[in-house]
Amino acid sequence: MRKNRAAVVGDEMQKVISDIITNKVKDPRIPLLTSVTSVKMTSDLSHATINVSVFGNDQVKNDCMKAIEKAKGFIRFEMCKRINLRVAPELHFKLDNTLEEAARMNAIIDRTLDEDKKRREELGIKDDEE
């Protein structure tokens, strides 16, 4: 199945912007473990929503997003040098908390399974008796 143009451009922008943030933006507020998780383009390619994942506490994440917002013009300029588009899209950066939410959900599942196992042991129910 063929991808639409917005998806193809978004995938390419993800690679390019990730490289720019990692190798070109020289701001100490951006930690090494910062990655672009996805780029969603509008159908007319005029706007791009860039999801950024940052490893660290809330202060590190906020500082990183401020640094990226400050460097937005530079990132857009560098991106346009590498990707040939008729119109330079407006960039909108958004913090991606997917990894933290997944870890939180895994912790809840693990805790629930442990509680269930303890209840079964208290009631004398074996695992193969369901």
Side-chain angles (χ1 to χ4, degrees):
M1 184 174 156
R2 193 169 164 225
K3 284 183 157 182
N4 66 12
R5 180 155 170 76
V8 171
V9 172
D11 288 347
E12 185 63 24
M13 281 182 64
Q14 180 179 354
K15 295 173 197 167
V16 170
I17 291 174
S18 181
D19 182 59
I20 292 168
I21 290 173
T22 303
N23 299 316
K24 295 279 188 178
V25 177
K26 304 295 183 202
D27 193 315
R29 296 177 293 175
I30 300 176
L32 292 175
L33 293 174
T34 301
S35 61
V36 176
T37 56
S38 66
V39 176
K40 302 275 192 275
M41 299 292 299
T42 57
S43 59
D44 63 355
L45 305 179
S46 64
H47 292 270
T49 301
I50 299 117
N51 292 309
V52 179
S53 178
V54 181
F55 182 76
N57 61 29
D58 288 340
Q59 183 64 41
V60 170
K61 292 175 186 179
N62 290 334
D63 289 346
C64 179
M65 292 308 290
K66 287 177 185 174
I68 289 173
E69 280 297 321
K70 185 177 178 191
K72 185 189 289 191
F74 173 76
I75 295 168
R76 185 178 183 196
F77 174 77
E78 286 291 320
M79 182 208 54
C80 289
K81 287 190 335 189
R82 298 185 195 187
I83 301 175
N84 188 18
L85 296 172
R86 195 165 29 95
V87 176
E90 187 68 35
L91 305 181
H92 307 279
F93 290 94
K94 188 174 143 190
L95 185 61
D96 184 2
N97 290 319
T98 305
L99 294 175
E100 288 83 4
E101 285 298 312
R104 188 180 70 78
M105 292 303 293
N106 279 335
I108 291 170
I109 290 169
D110 289 343
R111 187 175 62 235
T112 304
L113 289 173
D114 287 343
E115 290 171 1
D116 187 48
K117 184 177 178 182
K118 287 177 186 174
R119 282 191 199 116
R120 289 173 156 275
E121 288 173 355
E122 289 172 0
L123 296 172
I125 300 172
K126 295 180 183 175
D127 287 337
D128 58 345
E129 292 180 12
E130 290 187 26

